[in-house]
Amino acid sequence: MKQRTGYKIFRVGALVLVVLSLVAPLLWMVSASFKTNVDIYDSSKALVFTPTLANYDTVFQQANYLQFVFNSLWVAFAATLLSLILGVPAAYSMSRFNMKKSALVVLMARVIPGVSLLVPWYYVFSNLQMIGGFGVLILSHMFVSLPLIVYIMMGYFDGLPEELEEAALVDGLTHIGAFRRITLPLSVPGVATAGILSFIFSWNNFMFALVLASGNTKTLPVAIFDFVGYASIDWGGLMAATTVVTLPIMVIALFVQKYIVSGLTAGATKG
């Protein structure tokens, strides 16, 4: 009994430490967004301070953050939608027709860091005169999101019983018809999982927009650096801007976490 009690105390203590290490920076970020720069540097006002909305007023009015929010939403939504349109049928084909070499190429594309492709992308897109537009951002996000979606959906399709499609083929449907009427409706949890993860990646991506976007098309992660100057840093505005970037994704992840878990584990068993 003493050993069990000690183990439970250790487990609870370790869990509390892990949670605090993850939550404490977020709580500090949110609280600092309601402080002036003077209060942020004053350790005596770490917990007790007079909140202000001046930082958020700076973010949404002076920094034109609503435009950057729209840019992030548009790039993330378009890249996710196009990646799903291309990736889901590709994953189905690789899964059902045993395309091992194609699957290996997708896995390699998934492993290669996207930042290593920035230089050739910049060279190609600059020659095509696409630098600074939304198209180049959407395409660059697709190059990374597409292998992720294919990788997730291949595992999901591998876990679906092939007998249902075989029965549909016997009834006269083509492979495309069986995919559209049988397999695709059954794979909605997997598609939702892949789409959510792709959207989160696009929303959080910083490097692609930093290199390929212009002042009018930059996304929220890049716009945050408007508060970082050569001589000083507007910590209040920076924390408010970071909160604007972080909280929407945290809320989305909180509400859809069960769908993400179910989608990732649904293809774990065959049949």
Side-chain angles (χ1 to χ4, degrees):
M1 293 295 293
K2 291 183 178 180
Q3 291 180 348
R4 291 185 177 181
T5 302
Y7 173 72
K8 289 181 179 179
I9 294 175
F10 172 77
R11 185 175 61 179
V12 172
L15 181 61
V16 170
L17 289 177
V18 171
V19 171
L20 286 178
S21 65
L22 295 175
V23 175
L26 296 176
L27 294 178
W28 182 87
M29 176 188 70
V30 175
S31 64
S33 68
F34 293 99
K35 297 180 181 179
T36 63
N37 288 331
V38 175
D39 290 343
I40 291 176
Y41 284 104
D42 190 350
S43 59
S44 64
K45 295 184 179 180
L47 298 177
V48 181
F49 59 92
T50 302
T52 177
L53 295 177
N55 297 321
Y56 288 95
D57 180 70
T58 300
V59 167
F60 286 106
Q61 293 187 15
Q62 299 181 21
N64 195 25
Y65 248 60
L66 291 179
Q67 178 63 40
F68 303 142
V69 171
F70 170 79
N71 293 346
S72 292
L73 287 173
W74 169 239
V75 171
F77 176 78
T80 299
L81 180 61
L82 293 175
S83 297
L84 287 173
I85 292 174
L86 297 175
V88 173
Y92 174 77
S93 300
M94 295 178 190
S95 174
R96 287 296 184 260
F97 300 106
N98 199 24
M99 302 170 65
K100 299 298 183 181
K101 293 183 179 180
S102 298
L104 179 61
V105 173
V106 171
L107 180 60
M108 292 178 61
R110 180 71 188 95
V111 173
I112 295 174
V115 66
S116 64
L117 303 175
L118 270 178
V119 173
W121 283 351
Y122 186 86
Y123 177 77
V124 172
F125 289 132
S126 61
N127 288 333
L128 295 175
Q129 298 183 353
M130 295 178 62
I131 298 296
F134 285 112
V136 66
L137 290 179
I138 294 172
L139 288 176
S140 62
H141 286 201
M142 283 181 59
F143 290 154
V144 180
S145 298
L146 192 56
L148 173 65
I149 290 174
V150 173
Y151 183 75
I152 292 174
M153 293 307 301
M154 281 183 63
Y156 195 89
F157 288 134
D158 287 340
L160 294 179
E162 298 183 20
E163 290 78 6
L164 295 176
E165 299 173 35
E166 293 173 354
L169 295 175
V170 172
D171 290 338
L173 288 178
T174 62
H175 283 288
I176 296 177
F179 167 73
R180 183 171 58 87
R181 297 188 180 185
I182 305 298
T183 308
L184 189 58
L186 293 176
S187 62
V188 169
V191 174
T193 300
I196 291 168
L197 294 178
S198 174
F199 185 90
I200 291 175
F201 159 78
S202 296
W203 180 272
N204 292 332
N205 187 273
F206 167 77
M207 188 61 67
F208 295 167
L210 177 65
V211 176
L212 302 175
S214 65
N216 295 326
T217 60
K218 63 183 177 182
T219 55
L220 279 175
V222 178
I224 289 176
F225 276 80
D226 291 342
F227 296 94
V228 179
Y230 291 103
S232 62
I233 300 176
D234 181 5
W235 285 107
L238 183 62
M239 292 301 103
T242 307
T243 302
V244 172
V245 175
T246 305
L247 286 186
I249 290 299
M250 292 183 61
V251 171
I252 292 174
L254 180 64
F255 281 100
V256 303
Q257 60 176 334
K258 62 179 181 179
Y259 300 105
I260 295 177
V261 173
S262 63
L264 290 175
T265 59
T269 57
K270 180 71 175 177

